[in-house]
Amino acid sequence: MWDIKNYKFGFDPWGLGLFLAVMLPNFVWFAVPAPNDILRAESVTPLLDAIAQVFQIIMAAALCGVVNTARDKPVKQVFLIGIVACVILYLIGWAAYYAGSISAGVILVLCLAPCGAFLLLALARKNAAAVISAGNFTLCHLIYGIANFCL
């Protein structure tokens, strides 16, 4: 996974597809506020949030635009099942949030499920740049969720 000679810039439709699938509920949330929408409250971790945004941009760029030529084709089934499970869990989390269930568990699902999907795809595609950036984004996103909503 770490041999740089195996990497090239190129388009990975799996990366773009997953990123768009995960972002779709966010686009809905931007347009249609949920009842008791605590996610719109001012963050207590603004610096961490800015760092997370940088890692998110790098992660999205790496998932969509960096290709490891030594990756497995197609994605192994175990990774695919994990990715789909994470996306479904994420959608369930959004449904619970819009239904008014605002608990630490729901917030953690909204923080970790998409990150799990991104990490699994990055691992499946043997994309070290995406693994590192997704791992850092996950850590920042988790700290944000705990500090803002679970303490």
Side-chain angles (χ1 to χ4, degrees):
M1 177 174 357
W2 303 104
D3 191 353
I4 198 155
K5 72 177 188 234
N6 292 331
Y7 289 90
K8 66 176 185 167
F9 289 107
F11 176 65
D12 189 341
W14 283 89
L16 179 61
L18 178 60
F19 191 75
L20 291 176
V22 166
M23 289 307 294
L24 185 61
N26 292 281
F27 296 144
V28 171
W29 175 76
F30 287 133
V32 182
N36 192 21
D37 199 351
I38 64 168
L39 294 177
R40 293 187 190 271
E42 188 172 334
S43 176
V44 300
T45 57
L47 178 60
L48 181 72
D49 301 345
I51 294 168
Q53 275 189 318
V54 170
F55 282 122
Q56 183 181 29
I57 291 166
I58 294 168
M59 174 193 69
L63 284 172
C64 297
V66 176
V67 176
N68 183 342
T69 57
R71 70 182 188 252
D72 294 323
K73 298 177 196 172
V75 172
K76 290 184 180 176
Q77 188 174 11
V78 66
F79 285 113
L80 191 56
I81 290 169
I83 292 165
V84 170
C86 286
V87 171
I88 289 171
L89 184 60
Y90 185 57
L91 295 174
I92 290 170
W94 272 114
Y97 184 77
Y98 269 87
S101 178
I102 317 260
S103 66
V106 169
I107 297 300
L108 290 175
V109 164
L110 293 176
C111 282
L112 294 176
C115 294
F118 293 135
L119 280 166
L120 286 171
L121 180 61
L123 288 167
R125 305 304 271 173
K126 297 182 180 176
N127 186 334
V131 169
I132 292 166
S133 55
N136 284 310
F137 174 70
T138 300
L139 180 62
C140 292
H141 209 46
L142 177 61
I143 294 169
Y144 158 82
I146 291 170
N148 283 279
F149 306 109
C150 297
L151 294 179

